[in-house]
Structures are given as structure tokens and as C-alpha cells.
Amino acid sequence: DMLQAQEYTQQGEYEKAADTYQSLVARYPDELNLLRRLANSYEKLGQYDEVVLIVEKLLVADPENSRLRLVLAGCYEKNDQHELAANQYQEIVNQEPDSNNAKLAMNGLGLEEGLALARKNEFDLALIKLQQVIDVIPDQAEANYYRGVILQKQKKYEEAEAALKIAIQSNPGNLKARLKLGAVYTGMGKLTEATEIYQQVIVLGEG
């Protein structure tokens, strides 16, 4: 039966694969690998509610599996349950902040799209996307940095200052954020603060 189900999957006959895996799961309910394969078949069929039910079961057994959480978040997105998706993305970032799955989670929240919009000078739309990330993860360094860059371009200096300070606090080695903060202080006429920031950049750069 397992070989038959795999063959159905390879042939793109996902409904038959799902039926076969379902019968196997009925016989071996504790076999997590079968549940994963069944979820994959349902996902291919666009039956996202079924996928959610299965993945939630799998997460009970393996709560730190960020790959499963990405699948769950993707299903929530497909069902327009964006808040539930955001909760899963946040959990992934909390569990393994420096992983590739965390990067995928950040992109799910809108980071990649926000950066792409910024490159096309669509700043207002970019700010909306970056804010979506910050609403879920307030101290996310990259989102705050690029938000500060855009706000500085728009001469919204106080908001830019706040965003860049968060970016620096979250990633003290980001010299670009310090340089941008220096430019913000210059724009605000705070030349003493700007000078202090530029001196920090020189010291850190030499280190």
C-alpha cells in the first residue's frame, strides 16, 4: 500500500494517494511519517483545512518542528487566516532566530516583499509591508533598518531615528544603520549627536 501511494504521488494522482494514505493511517494511527505524507497529498489537492488538522496533530508530537509550522502558516495564509499565520511565523523566529526557516518566516510576514518594493522606490507600500513584520516582531533588525532608511528619505526624521535605534540595538554591528542614524541627526540639525555617531562608526570599523 505504501509503495502504491508513493507511485500515485509520483504520477500526480494526489486524490488516490490521499485515499491510500488515509487507509494506512487508519491501520497505523501512530505512524507520524504516514500523517506527513497524507498532509502532503491534501496540500497538493488544495484541501488546506485537512492539512491544518494533521499538522496540528504532528506539532503536538514535535512542537519545535519549524518546517511543520511553515506548512501550517502557509495553509492559514491560503485560508485568509493571516493572524494565525503570523503567530506561526513568530513562533518559528522565536525558536530558531538564525535559521533558514526563520528567514522564510520573515518573508512570510512580508520582509522580502517590503525590500523589493523599497528597491522600486514604492516607499509607502514598502513601509506597510515592513510594518507587518515589526507588528509581529518589534525588534526585527532588518525591517527596522529599512524602515528607518525610507523614513529618512522622506525626511520623517523622528520616526527614522526611532527605527534605526531599534535596528542598532538588535544588531550593534550594523554600521550602515549607524551611518544612516548620523544622517538623520544631521537632517534634524543635531550635529553633536551626528558627530558622536560617526565617531562610533570609525571606532567600530577599526575594530
Side-chain angles (χ1 to χ4, degrees), residues 22-67:
Q22 183 65 63
S23 67
L24 286 167
V25 167
R27 286 158 54 192
Y28 309 104
D30 297 326
E31 192 63 50
L32 299 183
N33 185 45
L34 290 174
L35 282 170
R36 289 191 187 93
R37 290 173 183 270
L38 178 58
N40 181 63
S41 297
Y42 282 138
E43 187 175 12
K44 297 290 187 184
L45 291 167
Q47 296 181 21
Y48 301 115
D49 289 338
E50 298 292 341
V51 180
V52 167
L53 291 173
I54 294 170
V55 172
E56 285 177 343
K57 279 186 190 175
L58 290 169
L59 282 170
V60 171
D62 189 6
E64 295 187 4
N65 190 322
S66 58
R67 217 35 230 168

Side-chain angles (χ1 to χ4, degrees), residues 3-14 16-18 20:
L3 290 175
Q4 183 65 72
Q6 290 174 331
E7 189 174 325
Y8 285 143
T9 300
Q10 289 167 359
Q11 293 170 350
E13 297 187 62
Y14 300 117
K16 289 182 179 179
T20 306

Side-chain angles (χ1 to χ4, degrees), residues 94-203:
N94 289 343
Q95 283 180 349
E96 30 182 86
D98 299 320
S99 71
N100 188 55
N101 285 335
K103 291 178 184 176
L104 293 172
M106 298 307 307
N107 290 339
L109 288 168
L111 181 60
E112 181 87 13
E113 192 175 351
L115 300 185
L117 288 165
R119 290 187 207 104
K120 293 190 288 187
N121 294 330
E122 296 182 31
F123 295 134
D124 289 337
L125 290 174
L127 285 173
I128 290 170
K129 287 295 177 182
L130 295 172
Q131 189 61 50
Q132 287 176 3
V133 178
I134 293 166
D135 285 344
V136 177
I137 307 166
D139 61 350
Q140 210 287 322
E142 202 171 2
N144 277 288
Y145 168 68
Y146 283 103
R147 186 169 180 271
V149 169
I150 293 170
L151 291 167
Q152 189 262 339
K153 287 179 183 290
Q154 295 178 333
K155 299 185 178 180
K156 297 177 181 177
Y157 295 126
E158 290 184 2
E159 292 178 71
E161 177 190 10
L164 290 166
K165 281 183 173 179
I166 294 171
I168 292 167
Q169 185 176 3
S170 299
N171 181 11
N174 187 344
L175 298 184
K176 291 191 295 184
R178 292 179 190 271
L179 285 169
K180 192 58 67 175
L181 182 57
V184 167
Y185 283 139
T186 300
M188 297 171 79
K190 296 183 176 182
L191 300 183
T192 302
E193 287 87 341
T195 301
E196 288 176 0
I197 290 292
Y198 291 136
Q199 287 173 342
Q200 289 175 16
V201 171
I202 291 169
V203 171

